[in-house]
């Protein structure tokens, strides 16, 4: 079998793989990216957070993205019945980017990988990792099938697993762990948004809460298409009869705000259903490998944290590998695992408190408390490592406490 030698093998050319490979290349490290699809390819994950702009900027991938003309996202709107809560990223506690994009990922990921190739990184499309063996020193032999199904092997000092839902190393090395989050699923498609209103309303990214655990996303793109998707408990979504198109059509009737806009609009593809999407792993790294992005952990789409975690973990993982390859000591547990898990645990609290209803109590309470809103807005912008933000440091208590106070006040005034 053909053998190749690289310093770092990156599995997957999504945002995570592109960011880590771009960083490694900039440090003069020999890196190869293997990607099983041919781009452009569809993937879900269309609403970004400002924090990921820092990562694209740092590795030199931002300019290409900027030139494409994706729809700009300046905040997020949440609707529940007649109540509306809007976050504006320019009004947040933490300093940082106050906008980002909402993107069709087929286009977005293609721009990213094209930029990567322009930098001289070798990306092998149509090449699928089928087996990985890692010895006790962390040296790996990865078996890959090329676009013609012909296997070859790559020896690497490090593997970065950015394979997203492919979850290559969690599957092959038995690293999967059940998620602590409840079983939720999603069904989604794209439409040509023929009834899109003029102006700001037409471009606003919105989360329409139907009931505490059921919500609809509406993500308008700059190409006139819009992504629509429902999220809810798996049993609830499965209770709708018929094909996936029929299920989604019935679900759309539940939205008072959006029903008229999307009534009778053709779906651009048969809706996709992803069941029980939350994923977790026993460990985020091991000798000779690191998991980044979705192959490591996925919580929930409600706060659009997926891509941002994918790029945050990718950049950090790539920096630490660079240190190791340069002979410096790295404490992976502390410098990688603890850091990433800290951010994940903040978002995890927000996801749990969203579905418990407590966070929705805070979002939709009037009058708003501007300071609380600024602090929560930072979290929603992805700045979840800012220790000056009490809604970061006390994430596991503060939402519940404030919701409890609001409930007591509401009861008193009734
Ligand atoms: P991916 O983008 O999935 O890329 C992984 C790549 O690896 C793919 O191109 C794949 O072809 C390749 N690959 C897989 N297996 C192999 C193999 N064996 N060999 C070689 N290559 C391989 N995130 C957000 O930020 N915003 C959102 O609005 C959002 N909405 C979501 C909605 C739903 C319903 C779900 C389930 C997730 C959502 N996410 C969202 C999460 C988002 O999809 C992911 O977090 C994000 O795509 C992760 O990027 P990545 O680079 O880790 O993986």
């Amino acid at each position: 079998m053909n053998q190749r030698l690289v310093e770092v093998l990156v599995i997957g050319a999504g945002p995570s793989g592109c960011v880590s490979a771009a960083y490694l290349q900039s440090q003069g490290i020999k890196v190869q990216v293997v990607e099983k699809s041919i781009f452009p390819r569809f993937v879900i994950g269309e609403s970004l957070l400002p924090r990921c702009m820092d990562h694209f900027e740092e590795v030199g991938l931002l300019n290409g993205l900027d030139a494409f003309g994706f729809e700009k996202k300046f905040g997020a709107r949440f609707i529940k019945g007649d109540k509306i809560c809007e976050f504006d990223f320019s009004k947040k506690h933490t300093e940082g980017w106050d906008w980002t994009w909402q993107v069709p990922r087929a286009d977005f990921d293609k721009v990213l990988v094209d930029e990567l190739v322009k930098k001289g990184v070798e990306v092998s499309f149509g090449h699928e990792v089928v087996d990985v063996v890692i010895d006790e020193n962390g040296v790996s032999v990865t078996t890959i099938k090329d676009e013609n199904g012909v296997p070859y092997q790559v020896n690497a000092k490090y593997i970065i697993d950015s394979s997203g839902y492919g979850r290559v190393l969690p599957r092959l090395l038995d690293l999967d762990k059940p998620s602590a989050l409840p079983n939720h699923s999603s069904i989604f498609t794209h439409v040509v948004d023929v009834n899109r209103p003029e102006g700001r309303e037409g471009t606003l990214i919105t989360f329409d809460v139907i009931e505490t655990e059921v919500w609809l996303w509406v993500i308008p793109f700059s190409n006139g298409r819009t992504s629509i998707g429902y999220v809810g408990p798996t049993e609830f979504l499965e209770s709708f009869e018929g094909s996936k198109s029929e299920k989604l059509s019935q679900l759309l009737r539940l939205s008072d705000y959006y029903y008229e806009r999307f009534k009778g609009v053709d779906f651009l593809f048969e809706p996709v259903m992803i069941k029980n999407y939350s994923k977790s792993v026993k460990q985020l790294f091991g000798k000779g490998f690191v998991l980044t992005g979705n192959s490591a952990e996925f919580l929930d789409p409600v706060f659009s944290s997926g891509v941002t975690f994918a790029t945050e973990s990718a950049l950090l993982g790539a920096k630490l590998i660079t240190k190791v390859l340069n002979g410096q000591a790295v404490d992976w547990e502390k410098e990688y695992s603890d850091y990433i898990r800290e951010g994940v645990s903040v978002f995890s609290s927000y996801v749990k408190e969203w579905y418990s209803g407590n966070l929705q109590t805070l979002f939709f309470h009037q009058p708003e408390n501007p300071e609380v809103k600024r602090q929560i807005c930072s979290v929603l912008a992805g700045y979840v490592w800012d220790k000056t933000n009490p809604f970061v440091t006390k994430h596991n208590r503060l939402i519940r406490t404030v919701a409890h106070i609001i409930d007591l006040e509401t009861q008193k005034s009734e």
Side-chain angles (χ1 to χ4, degrees):
M1 210 184 301
N2 227 331
Q3 302 268 341
R4 303 190 56 177
L5 189 65
V6 292
E7 286 182 285
V8 181
L9 178 72
V10 176
I11 309 174
S16 198
C18 284
V19 164
S20 60
Y23 181 81
L24 293 166
Q25 170 83 359
S26 74
Q27 302 302 304
I29 289 169
K30 188 168 162 44
V31 53
Q32 185 192 350
V33 181
V34 279
E35 165 54 58
K36 80 170 178 191
S37 332
I38 306 291
F39 278 31
R41 58 91 178 88
F42 176 85
V43 68
I44 197 64
E46 297 150 336
S47 152
L48 308 183
L49 301 184
R51 171 67 181 154
C52 74
M53 307 297 267
D54 291 311
H55 309 135
F56 293 129
E57 188 174 35
E58 186 171 341
V59 299
L61 292 173
L62 197 66
N63 289 347
L65 294 171
D66 204 19
F68 189 89
F70 293 110
E71 190 68 52
K72 285 192 171 173
K73 173 185 168 191
F74 297 97
R77 175 171 70 173
F78 295 83
I79 296 178
K80 192 172 190 178
D82 55 1
K83 295 182 189 141
I84 294 186
C85 169
E86 258 194 72
F87 287 93
D88 172 350
F89 292 140
S90 70
K91 296 185 181 130
K92 65 179 180 317
H93 172 85
T94 311
E95 283 213 0
W97 282 82
D98 53 19
W99 64 274
T100 182
W101 290 292
Q102 48 210 51
V103 299
R105 285 283 302 280
D107 293 341
F108 185 79
D109 290 17
K110 176 83 170 89
V111 175
L112 273 178
V113 85
D114 285 351
E115 290 297 307
L116 191 67
V117 171
K118 274 192 225 156
K119 288 178 184 296
V121 175
E122 186 186 338
V123 183
S124 311
F125 291 102
H127 289 215
E128 180 178 2
V129 170
V130 290
D131 192 31
V132 178
V133 177
I134 303 180
D135 73 14
E136 66 277 11
N137 299 316
V139 177
S140 59
V141 181
T142 300
T143 308
I144 299 165
K145 277 194 180 154
D146 72 12
E147 64 274 40
N148 302 312
V150 179
Y152 64 98
Q153 289 185 325
V154 173
N155 295 50
K157 292 182 188 156
Y158 257 98
I159 296 177
I160 299 185
D161 182 10
S162 303
S163 61
Y165 304 103
R167 304 182 66 69
V168 170
L169 290 188
R171 275 190 295 109
L172 295 176
L173 304 182
D174 188 25
L175 304 176
D176 264 320
K177 187 178 100 174
S179 167
L181 294 169
N183 280 341
H184 280 171
S185 297
S186 178
I187 183 164
F188 48 85
T189 189
H190 289 174
V191 299
V192 179
D193 201 352
V194 285
N195 302 320
R196 184 183 282 187
E198 289 289 313
R200 186 169 174 271
E201 174 65 30
T203 62
L204 265 186
I205 181 166
T206 303
F207 303 86
D208 185 11
V209 186
I210 310 298
E211 5 178 307
T212 308
E213 287 192 74
V214 180
W215 54 276
L216 161 70
W217 79 64
V218 174
I219 307 177
F221 301 136
S222 58
N223 61 9
R225 298 177 173 193
T226 291
S227 172
I228 49 177
Y230 261 89
V231 173
T234 304
E235 273 179 20
F236 174 78
L237 293 191
E238 281 180 336
S239 70
F240 290 82
E241 300 281 320
S243 64
K244 292 187 186 112
S245 289
E246 287 161 345
K247 277 184 201 291
L248 186 54
S249 299
Q250 293 167 62
L251 280 157
L252 283 169
R253 290 177 181 276
L254 303 177
S255 168
D256 291 340
Y257 197 90
Y258 281 109
Y259 179 57
E260 284 301 322
R261 175 156 157 193
F262 298 117
K263 188 169 68 175
V265 169
D266 287 337
F267 298 153
L268 285 166
F269 51 86
E270 173 74 358
V272 176
M273 188 161 180
I274 301 187
K275 289 189 188 172
N276 306 327
Y277 46 64
S278 304
K279 301 281 176 227
S280 192
V281 281
K282 295 175 197 159
Q283 62 195 76
L284 293 175
F285 69 93
K287 260 204 157 167
F289 73 89
V290 59
L291 309 180
T292 69
N294 246 41
S295 84
E297 181 95 36
F298 180 66
L299 296 170
D300 193 277
V302 67
F303 298 120
S304 311
S305 57
V307 169
T308 297
F309 266 105
T311 51
E312 184 91 34
S313 52
L315 185 52
L316 181 58
K319 283 181 177 172
L320 295 176
I321 287 175
T322 306
K323 276 172 93 177
V324 175
L325 295 179
N326 287 335
Q328 289 171 262
V330 168
D331 180 343
W332 279 91
E333 192 63 46
K334 199 161 150 238
E335 293 177 62
Y336 188 72
S337 218
D338 289 356
Y339 177 87
I340 294 299
R341 289 204 193 278
E342 215 178 289
V344 168
S345 82
V346 175
F347 266 116
S348 197
S349 291
Y350 279 69
V351 169
K352 282 184 196 144
E353 294 299 358
W354 175 261
Y355 289 112
S356 76
N358 284 332
L359 195 55
Q360 296 177 29
T361 302
L362 261 74
F363 275 26
F364 296 111
H365 178 66
Q366 289 293 337
E368 288 176 343
N369 177 323
E371 200 43 42
V372 166
K373 198 156 181 197
R374 290 173 78 83
Q375 292 167 358
I376 292 180
C377 188
S378 281
V379 173
L380 302 195
Y383 291 94
V384 288
W385 286 273
D386 176 3
K387 295 283 167 30
T388 69
N389 184 352
F391 272 85
V392 167
T393 50
K394 300 183 190 131
H395 60 90
N396 49 358
R397 294 195 307 277
L398 205 48
I399 299 167
R400 229 174 355 205
T401 310
V402 178
H404 186 60
I405 294 166
I406 293 173
D407 283 342
L408 289 176
E409 276 175 6
T410 314
Q411 281 164 20
K412 244 195 280 168
S413 63
E414 278 169 1

